[in-house]
Amino acid sequence: MKMVLGRRTRILAATTATAGLLLVAGCSSDDDGGKKTTANGVELVKGGQLTTCTHLPYPPFQSEIDGKVQGFDVSVIDLVAADLGVKQTILDQPFENFKTGGSLNAGQCDLAAAGMTITDERKKNVDFSDPYFEATQAVLADKKSGISSLADLKGKKVGAQAQTTGEEFAKGKGLNPVSFESSDALLNGLRTGQVKAVVIDYPVVQGWLKDKANADAFELADNINTGEEYGITVKKGNTKLLAAINKALADAKADGTYKKLYEKWIGPYDENAAGAASASPSAAS
């Protein structure tokens, strides 16, 4: 995932599969007069809503479409909110803020959902839900570049999204990737010839290639299974909210809702993509 310093934090009110945009300067912590609020026994930072920290855009997991925040992660957290009897509100802020647990500890949000890979390093700062998505790394290349595999990236100008597993993976392979602040900026860097190929999570590439203009110019050069799985994070020790998230995930996988959301936002369903019991890859996403 990504980090952008100096941007204004934004609050985005979310409903099932849609979200209306509310631009607010500063942070989104709400003290409710100093009183704790709860929903079905789960303590929330703001009454009547489940506040999610994320960083936009990161399609197909969360992005603004026609002025509304939508995506796979948004829809998954809507399920948690529905179980708690509240609505989801999305707080858009730098990835670093919640990757380190800072936003959660400061009471700015209840949870973070941002296509975030479960890592041992991050577990020191936050508690992760059960894995909800298995991700692989992909190489997307200009069709004229002659790049057809990861090995072909040697000596080529490669791009990656800052603070992601893609960037760490590329560096681990001896590459020196150009860092871009967001997935949109990364794709634009490829479009404008700043780089000849990019390394990023495969689901993002899937989303890009749904656009005919992208598919005409670029192609999937490689897909690498790195053992990465995404998790939703909460403040360390927030066992009640974590249990509610895990229950919503388990119910969605059991009743077919997860499959429907996957097919809507990601593509043809692969049952292995729902995530295994646990994961602890060494990189960050």
Side-chain angles (χ1 to χ4, degrees), residues 48-260:
Q49 65 185 48
L50 182 65
T51 307
T52 300
C53 273
T54 195
H55 180 60
L56 301 170
Y58 198 65
F61 295 93
Q62 56 273 327
S63 60
E64 290 181 38
I65 303 172
D66 297 328
K68 299 175 182 178
V69 178
Q70 305 181 56
F72 185 74
D73 279 357
V74 178
S75 296
V76 168
I77 302 304
D78 275 339
L79 300 177
V80 181
D83 282 353
L84 296 178
V86 297
K87 291 184 177 181
Q88 179 184 183
T89 294
I90 296 175
L91 175 63
D92 177 28
Q93 60 176 217
F95 184 66
E96 189 73 9
N97 287 20
F98 50 86
K99 181 183 78 171
T100 58
S103 302
L104 297 166
N105 293 333
Q108 295 175 11
C109 48
D110 299 297
L111 56 85
M116 193 187 308
T117 298
I118 300 169
T119 71
D120 288 336
E121 182 63 27
R122 290 174 181 172
K123 286 179 180 178
K124 297 175 183 178
N125 301 313
V126 297
D127 285 341
F128 277 94
S129 70
D130 293 336
Y132 71 95
F133 191 89
E134 182 177 296
T136 59
Q137 289 297 326
V139 176
L140 181 70
D142 187 310
K143 285 186 174 180
K144 300 177 182 178
S145 67
I147 296 170
S148 60
S149 70
L150 177 66
D152 292 335
L153 296 181
K154 293 290 185 181
K156 300 291 197 307
K157 201 162 187 180
V158 180
Q161 191 173 345
Q163 302 290 322
T164 67
T165 46
E167 184 179 56
E168 293 299 319
F169 178 79
K171 289 179 178 179
K173 293 299 180 180
L175 304 172
N176 184 26
V178 177
S179 292
F180 292 85
E181 67 182 25
S182 70
S183 61
D184 279 3
L186 180 60
L187 180 59
N188 189 57
L190 184 60
R191 282 195 186 110
T192 57
Q194 296 176 57
V195 294
K196 294 299 182 183
V198 302
V199 179
I200 195 168
D201 290 2
Y202 175 59
V204 179
V205 171
Q206 280 182 292
W208 284 343
L209 292 180
K210 288 180 180 178
D211 182 277
K212 186 179 184 302
N214 290 338
D216 286 345
F218 311 113
E219 62 186 353
L220 177 67
D222 212 342
N223 194 355
I224 310 105
N225 189 347
T226 54
E228 296 174 47
E229 289 182 304
Y230 292 166
I232 298 158
T233 63
V234 300
K235 180 179 178 180
K236 288 195 75 68
N238 193 348
T239 56
K240 289 185 178 180
L241 179 54
L242 198 64
I245 294 168
N246 287 337
K247 180 182 182 300
L249 291 172
D251 289 348
K253 291 173 184 178
D255 66 15
T257 301
Y258 182 97
K259 180 176 182 290
K260 291 178 181 178

